[in-house]
Amino acid sequence: MGETIDLSGNFVILDITIQDYRITLAAIYGPNNDEPAFFDNIKNKISHFGNSSIVVVGDWNVVQDYEMDTLYYRNENNPQSKAKIHEVMHDLDLLDIWRLQHPFEKRYSWRGPNRKQSRLDYFMITSDIEAFVISSDIGISYRSDHSLILINLKFSSQIRGKGTWKFNDSLLKETEFIEKVKGDIKTVIEEYESDPSIDIETEDKQLI
């Protein structure tokens, strides 16, 4: 089990185990302004744990669908952050579970001035644990301009999905990882070259 905590209070990321399922759980508070780098940083920190199962929840301060997720908005907020979130969703195989379970419903988690409302708060989960989600909901608010959001997961009732494997390309920026891969490649080549029973040219073609 591990954790990564932002001292400014914008995220907490935990590496946890629930009924033998290892999961990265992240709670975030996204910036009010258009800062796509924040979500890129979240992706890199989540990827560091290396878990295929991920749950990310919080106030993203970005809507997913302007038509479905806003009311009385004049302009679309934080478009660069929205594009970055969609990129992160693709890279980490994340799903907006409430929208999947309520594809045509218009409900909002935030209320502001001039009757503005939007769905800024939501859960993102990886597809391999989608079958575990029994329900998702947007609750009522109490002394807050944000509503409670909930998902109900039952890990013992379903067979875990396969999910989608994606290479964590953020590793290509880590010197330690690059040096380890180079070392592993060198070791394999030396092992092949030292064994006269192996035709290295034939093996290279098979590996390709």
Side-chain angles (χ1 to χ4, degrees):
M1 182 172 178
E3 62 182 32
T4 301
I5 299 175
D6 176 36
L7 297 180
S8 299
N10 287 99
F11 60 81
V12 176
I13 304 174
L14 302 177
D15 179 20
I16 63 175
T17 300
I18 302 177
Q19 295 183 1
D20 297 325
Y21 290 97
R22 190 168 173 183
I23 296 174
T24 299
L25 174 62
I28 69 169
Y29 174 59
N32 288 307
N33 49 342
D34 205 0
E35 290 187 33
F38 172 84
F39 300 101
D40 205 32
N41 183 41
I42 292 294
K43 182 191 80 168
N44 292 336
K45 292 186 180 302
I46 288 175
S47 298
H48 177 74
F49 290 107
N51 295 329
S52 62
S53 300
I54 301 167
V55 177
V56 189
V57 59
D59 175 4
W60 298 70
N61 266 313
V62 178
V63 297
Q64 290 296 305
D65 185 319
Y66 181 74
E67 293 298 324
M68 294 293 293
D69 294 331
T70 67
L71 182 66
Y72 298 122
Y73 269 54
R74 293 184 177 180
N75 300 298
E76 186 170 354
N77 71 323
N78 302 339
Q80 295 182 74
S81 291
K82 176 183 175 182
K84 177 57 68 173
I85 291 173
H86 286 173
E87 178 185 313
V88 171
M89 291 173 68
H90 176 268
D91 291 346
L92 298 182
D93 186 32
L94 293 173
L95 308 172
D96 180 353
I97 187 61
W98 186 88
R99 179 51 70 199
L100 282 176
Q101 293 189 339
H102 307 81
F104 307 112
E105 194 170 347
K106 291 188 176 183
R107 292 178 63 189
Y108 313 105
S109 65
W110 174 82
R111 289 149 302 281
N114 302 316
R115 298 192 296 168
K116 288 175 63 175
Q117 299 186 60
S118 59
R119 190 171 68 93
L120 299 178
D121 310 84
Y122 39 88
F123 282 87
M124 292 282 195
I125 67 165
T126 43
S127 62
D128 64 330
I129 56 175
E130 180 186 358
F132 297 150
V133 180
I134 306 302
S135 63
S136 60
D137 198 8
I138 299 174
I140 62 174
S141 63
Y142 178 70
R143 294 185 177 180
S144 173
D145 55 354
H146 287 263
S147 294
L148 178 72
I149 57 172
L150 312 96
I151 59 171
N152 179 18
L153 300 99
K154 192 172 183 180
F155 288 87
S156 59
S157 63
Q158 300 287 343
I159 298 175
R160 186 174 192 162
K162 293 182 178 179
T164 302
W165 184 87
K166 296 180 185 295
F167 175 70
N168 178 12
D169 56 5
S170 65
L171 292 172
L172 297 176
K173 300 176 183 178
E174 296 187 9
T175 304
E176 183 179 349
F177 173 79
I178 294 171
E179 293 303 317
K180 184 179 186 307
V181 171
K182 288 181 178 179
D184 290 343
I185 292 172
K186 182 179 179 182
T187 300
V188 171
I189 291 174
E190 289 174 350
E191 289 177 356
Y192 273 68
E193 290 177 338
S194 64
D195 189 340
S197 66
I198 297 176
D199 184 345
I200 193 166
E201 291 186 2
T202 301
E203 294 296 327
D204 283 346
K205 291 177 182 179
Q206 291 178 351
L207 289 171
I208 293 171

